Amino acid sequence: MLFGDWGTSRLYVLGLALFYTGRASFWFMLAMSFLLVAVGWAYQIICRLYPDGGGVYSSARHRSELLAVVGALLLCADYVVTAALSALDAFHYVGLANAEWWAAGSVALIGVVNYFGPTKAGTGALVVAMLTILFSLIIAGEAAPHLATAHITAPQGNALQWWGQFTALILAISGVEAVANMTGIMVKPVEKTARRAIWPVLIEIVTLNMVLTVAMLAIPAETLGDGDAAQAFTAHRDTMLRLLAEYYVGPMFAAVASLVFALLLLSAVNTAVTDLVSIQFMMARDDELPRPFGGLNRWGMPFAPLVIGTLIPILTVIAVPDVGRLADLYAIGVVGAVAVNLGSCSTNFAIALRRHERIGMLLLTVLMVLIWLTIAWEKPLALLFAMSIMGAGLCGRWAAHNRDAIRDWMLAPLETPFAAEPEVNIAPPIRVAPTAVPKPARAATPSRHRLMVASRGNPKLLNFAIEEAKAKHAELLVLFVRHIAVPTMGPSSFGDVTRDAEAKDVFSAARQAAEAAEIPVFTLYSVAFDVAEAILETAATHAVDTLLLGSTQRGALWKTMKGDVISEVAEHLPERINLLIHG
């Protein structure tokens, strides 16, 4: 998934480099490669420091809640344009007319699919990423004999002009926030997994980007459309990798490769939409956005954030149907988010940073701030776009912090001068405190059989569990897993069962039935991205003897998208625990 976000930059950065810097693009891509390595190094450290989520929202929150929200909103601006730009370029690669409308339709379709919270997107992203790497290697291999003929020139103009051209290519760093946001769902230890994710992808991006840049500059001028003006390169700006495939390998290979490249770009759209949803959901759970943004549908997907995370990219790609102009909007968000993340970590002396790590991250922070200021100065529309996203988000934050005052104002009766309202004595409402969920006492009855049932309220399954517990003279553990279909960016108030009405209803019904059957019952609540993993971990932690699961009527398509929980549990369940399936 990291390559699907980070690696897609090659599909448009090569063409943009030629468009902005001409035949001096080799030097600018080389400078970008050094920056990529430095940022990748810094984010490996961030993943180590924040194993529960190292994105800008999580790390900056340790310094300032407002700073965290600002960083998150800048990242939202980045992901909005990521989705729009990737979708638009995908249909440029397959050569369809009116690409912006195809792009809008694809974003809408991805939003509809995500409504059902598919969790197997990573498998598809892996297949497409591997195919993309394979095709890129074939292009590089075929181009290798021609690299010596590349026409590379020195950068034109002065140092300030070089700096401006360099900042125009800063898009290549986008995607690095994605891996930091996913540390919460990584295999432990997170530091090792993050290192294995970042460095292979980074090495592939840097190496092949440089080889393909030289291969691009080895194409004859008449094929590139070389000329005096930068606009002469526009014909191949958005589909440069297709041109390389066609020139060095052949038209048929280019057609197949372009389809794979388009799928990789659409994979990046999916990642961007998912991350947009995750950011809004996390902010809502932390009371930084109105509470409706924290609501989940029955498939574990936050509905309101999904609607916004789908609709805004659609409007953006329709309003700005040009890769170059979208690239201008793109950079200011990601650069700002990376700067806030690096700055928050490097200036936080409460975290364990080595001296050279802190100095290096501070220097990178200064560099990213300078790049952000340059983009804001040279591209006022990009600044306006970022400020619009930030303004809307901060208004939502104000509404969340003042919801009681807003509700009182909206519900306040209108005063009328014609007649006085009669006084009515109304007793204040009785507020019932939620019942705390007890934890199972493992030492109370160590020899007693322990049966755990994972249920979302199926009455037949609960009744069968009670019958089994009574027959086995066992104590019953009822597990409710609240599935969240997007990766969460750090710890939040997810374990608070008092905010989950459905879970409270299930627990109440289980207690009443168990009390009638005169068996001991304990309730367990878990919030998880991976339901099977949550069930396995809970069963092992509480030393259950028998695990009871209910069978599902879902079809093959559903299991392909969501996975088969029973199969995953059965495959990894410890041998000492019996698995009982109720059909």
Side-chain angles (χ1 to χ4, degrees), residues 435-441 450-455 462 475-481 495 497 502-514 519-526 538 542:
T435 304
V437 181
K439 296 181 179 179
R450 179 167 287 176
L451 170 70
M452 186 178 85
V453 57
S455 175
L462 281 176
E475 56 185 17
L476 178 64
L477 280 64
V478 179
L479 171 65
F480 185 100
V481 180
V497 69
E502 184 181 1
K504 289 195 294 183
D505 290 342
V506 171
F507 291 157
S508 176
R511 290 193 191 99
Q512 291 177 10
I519 62 170
V521 63
F522 303 100
T523 54
L524 303 170
Y525 183 73
S526 176
T538 307
H542 293 274

Side-chain angles (χ1 to χ4, degrees), residues 483-501:
H483 176 222
I484 299 180
V486 291
T488 55
M489 301 178 179
S492 185
S493 56
F494 294 117
D496 186 3
V497 69
T498 61
R499 296 178 62 174
D500 194 325

